[in-house]
Amino acid sequence: MTFVAGLRSDLGPSGVLTGADAAPYLTGQRGLFTGEALAVVRPASVDETARVVRACASAGVAIVPQGGNTGMSGGAVPAAVGDSGTSALPATSEGSASPDPPRPSIVLSMTRMNRIVSVDPHRWTITAEAGATIETVQQAAAAANRLFAPDWGARGTATVGGAIATDAGGNNVLRYGTMRDHLLGLEAVLADGRVWDGLRALRKDSSGYDLKQLFIGAEGTLGVATRAVLRLHPATPHTQSALAAIRGLDRLMPLLELAASRCGNDVTAFELIPEVGLDRVCEKLALARPLHTREEFFLLVRLASSEPVSERLGAFLAEASERGWITDAAVAVTDEQESRLWTIRDELSPMFLWPQHEHGVKLDTAVPIDSLGPYHDEARRIAAELVPGALTYGFGHVGDGNIHLYVLPTSDDGVAPFLSVRDKLQERIDEATFRFGGTLSAEHGIGQLLRDRIGPQKPAVEWDLMRAVKNALDPQGIMNPHKTLPA
Ligand code: MLT
Ligand code: ZN
């Protein structure tokens, strides 16, 4: 019996996909990375997951864990491989085996493990399987009058396991933190097929190494998450957002401080929207513009609380206007207006707006928050110098220092000249990111996209420590090879 036939006889026909059925799992959402796999394997339980991992470990088959496949960095699809399903990375120096030896792989799709295990309002936790979507978790929490705070545009497809794997962030990080701040307990299948049950719901636990932390941001390179205990917050029935036209990026910091001093912790989102994106989304979705005023940048601010927030939102906007920091603002007063503002925000990614997006330079940078304006200016200066005709497009979670910065050609004619300088442009912006003390990956992971670029961001000793962890937990190197750790 072949390896794949063995898996099929164990998991049944719906547990193993091949051929055209497997194809959608082999390409990442931005279309940048496509790999090959022997099969897409879809376990429906922890036991099945462990059996698949054991079978792979004994056959030397690599495992690429995958959630909703909404990742932006190619971490959840197999690396591009040769004809035989193997990669051709050279061995490392000193005769040691390559940490990523060529080997066939499977995609381990966790999407059948999509149940909410329990909601515990008194413990303020929810326990979910790794393949449950973020939206399912949000809805289950809301039904118990609790809030599961992580939230971003792909909420309906992105999964708990994928969010843990990349330490996903989204729109509420300013107030509630990233996935790391929400993971209280974890169950994972280790590279040798053992199941680690760390499903605890404790707020405090100083009993040694906090092993679950290793799995956050590890992109499935250490094992595969199967269930998670996640933290809940009080529900925020009073929610209101406003879109404000801002007078230059140097107003961001004063506006954030003003919002913090007038509205405190109720500021849950503080998002940057460029005019060019606002305009394009409204045109594409035939939405009425929320504001007719045109400025280069807009700020989408959301307050959320157990108490009414309108007065404080209004006072913040009035003061910002008096000080000349904003030139206009639209406050959402109906559910339709609120949801329109957030539709515009959710659809802002260039991959939804320009067919040429895949040729562009894409960054998911975070810098110390007071450096955001100067960093953005510097990136724009570099882009104007190297690719004068290209669009520099910064948007996103500026309230926590994270900006999605894209430089892209926006016409087919612009693609060839852009590609001729793309590597140089990327290198120069990366250097600027490091100079500003930033990270190339704030919430999208390293995956395949950043693996060859991320090295200079951390001292060699830090990568050595990560490799030591990798070797300890996955000595065979079968968990998601060619990802995350620089080659
Ligand atoms: C977002 O915040 O909309 C995303 O992370 C998507 C992107 O960077 O393109
Ligand atoms: Zn984002």
Side-chain angles (χ1 to χ4, degrees):
M1 197 182 315
T2 65
F3 178 73
V4 173
L7 292 176
R8 194 170 272 131
S9 89
D10 185 7
L11 269 57
S14 53
V16 179
L17 309 177
T18 52
D21 294 336
Y25 299 79
L26 303 180
T27 298
Q29 90 156 329
R30 295 176 62 227
L32 295 188
F33 299 100
T34 299
E36 292 176 20
L38 299 173
V40 173
V41 183
R42 303 167 68 231
S45 67
V46 182
D47 284 350
E48 284 189 3
T49 310
R51 292 207 297 274
V52 172
V53 173
R54 278 199 293 275
C56 288
S58 70
V61 169
I63 298 163
V64 181
Q66 188 180 92
N69 198 13
T70 58
M72 309 285 288
S73 306
V77 292
V81 290
D83 293 338
S84 57
T86 59
S87 91
L89 277 192
T92 53
S93 57
E94 292 149 22
S96 59
S98 161
D100 295 351
R103 53 170 102 241
S105 62
I106 61 154
V107 169
L108 187 65
S109 168
M110 301 306 289
T111 47
R112 283 173 82 206
M113 286 190 63
N114 56 9
R115 286 161 291 240
I116 301 296
V117 179
S118 63
V119 186
D120 302 283
H122 303 301
R123 293 180 176 186
W124 295 86
T125 60
I126 184 165
T127 303
E129 291 184 333
T133 65
I134 296 301
E135 191 167 57
T136 308
V137 178
Q138 290 170 343
Q139 286 167 350
N145 195 30
R146 297 288 184 262
L147 172 75
F148 179 63
D151 185 51
W152 56 94
R155 62 186 74 76
T157 316
T159 62
V160 166
I164 293 169
T166 55
D167 190 18
N171 304 330
N172 288 330
V173 171
L174 174 62
R175 162 76 177 84
Y176 297 103
T178 66
M179 274 306 273
R180 194 177 295 282
D181 300 288
H182 290 82
L183 189 68
L184 292 176
L186 184 69
E187 175 189 76
V189 175
L190 307 179
D192 59 8
R194 279 180 300 165
V195 178
W196 168 49
D197 180 351
L199 284 174
R200 305 177 190 110
L202 303 174
R203 300 296 160 130
K204 298 177 77 176
D205 181 3
S206 68
S207 60
Y209 302 145
D210 188 356
L211 293 177
K212 69 178 181 297
Q213 294 291 341
L214 293 177
F215 291 82
I216 305 170
E219 298 181 285
T221 58
L222 301 180
V224 55
T226 44
R227 286 187 290 186
V229 182
L230 302 164
R231 180 192 293 255
L232 298 178
H233 289 279
T236 51
H238 298 277
T239 295
Q240 191 168 32
S241 303
L243 185 73
I246 60 174
R247 197 168 262 155
L249 283 187
D250 53 345
R251 309 296 185 198
L252 276 180
M253 278 308 292
L255 281 164
L256 186 57
E257 283 185 18
L258 182 66
S261 72
R262 298 293 177 269
C263 313
N265 254 348
D266 292 345
V267 186
T268 61
F270 196 86
E271 298 278 315
L272 186 70
I273 297 184
E275 159 66 32
V276 62
L278 173 68
D279 194 52
R280 189 106 179 151
V281 174
C282 290
E283 188 194 315
K284 181 184 152 207
L285 301 181
L287 294 174
R289 266 182 80 96
L291 271 182
H292 291 294
T293 301
R294 286 177 194 265
E295 290 285 356
E296 192 179 3
F297 289 106
F298 296 80
L299 197 56
L300 179 57
V301 184
R302 176 167 58 203
L303 300 193
S305 174
S306 52
E307 307 291 330
V309 292
S310 285
E311 256 178 48
R312 274 171 301 148
L313 183 59
F316 159 67
L317 293 170
E319 198 167 336
S321 165
E322 270 162 36
R323 293 183 184 209
W325 297 344
I326 63 173
T327 55
D328 200 359
V331 178
V333 290
T334 64
D335 289 349
E336 188 276 324
Q337 288 169 347
E338 180 76 21
S339 103
R340 176 150 45 106
L341 289 181
W342 283 96
T343 301
I344 292 169
R345 170 60 193 88
D346 285 349
E347 296 290 324
L348 266 190
S349 178
M351 71 182 168
F352 302 132
L353 303 177
W354 284 279
Q356 299 83 6
H357 73 89
E358 68 193 71
H359 303 296
V361 164
K362 167 200 171 293
L363 288 128
D364 167 35
T365 306
V367 289
I369 186 146
D370 55 334
S371 299
L372 254 178
Y375 170 75
H376 187 277
D377 287 349
E378 173 69 353
R380 202 157 34 178
R381 197 189 57 71
I382 295 168
E385 185 190 316
L386 293 179
V387 272
L391 173 67
T392 305
Y393 188 77
F395 70 100
H397 324 294
V398 289
D400 61 44
N402 178 195
I403 185 157
H404 299 307
L405 194 60
Y406 288 70
V407 185
L408 68 154
T410 53
S411 72
D412 290 342
D413 291 349
V415 171
F418 188 92
L419 290 180
S420 68
V421 291
R422 185 173 70 175
D423 289 353
K424 184 78 207 153
L425 175 67
Q426 193 156 275
E427 201 184 304
R428 294 267 309 274
I429 299 183
D430 287 358
E431 275 166 18
T433 308
F434 301 145
R435 224 181 318 118
F436 276 87
T439 174
L440 295 187
S441 177
E443 59 170 16
H444 294 169
I446 294 171
Q448 301 178 62
L449 182 74
L450 298 176
R451 193 181 181 226
D452 298 332
R453 291 163 47 198
I454 197 85
Q457 186 175 306
K458 297 174 197 259
V461 69
E462 209 168 325
W463 295 117
D464 283 351
L465 290 172
M466 285 201 218
R467 283 195 195 94
V469 172
K470 168 76 177 168
N471 290 337
L473 269 72
D474 179 22
Q476 255 189 292
I478 60 167
M479 292 309 307
N480 212 5
H482 317 297
K483 313 283 168 57
T484 311
L485 290 168

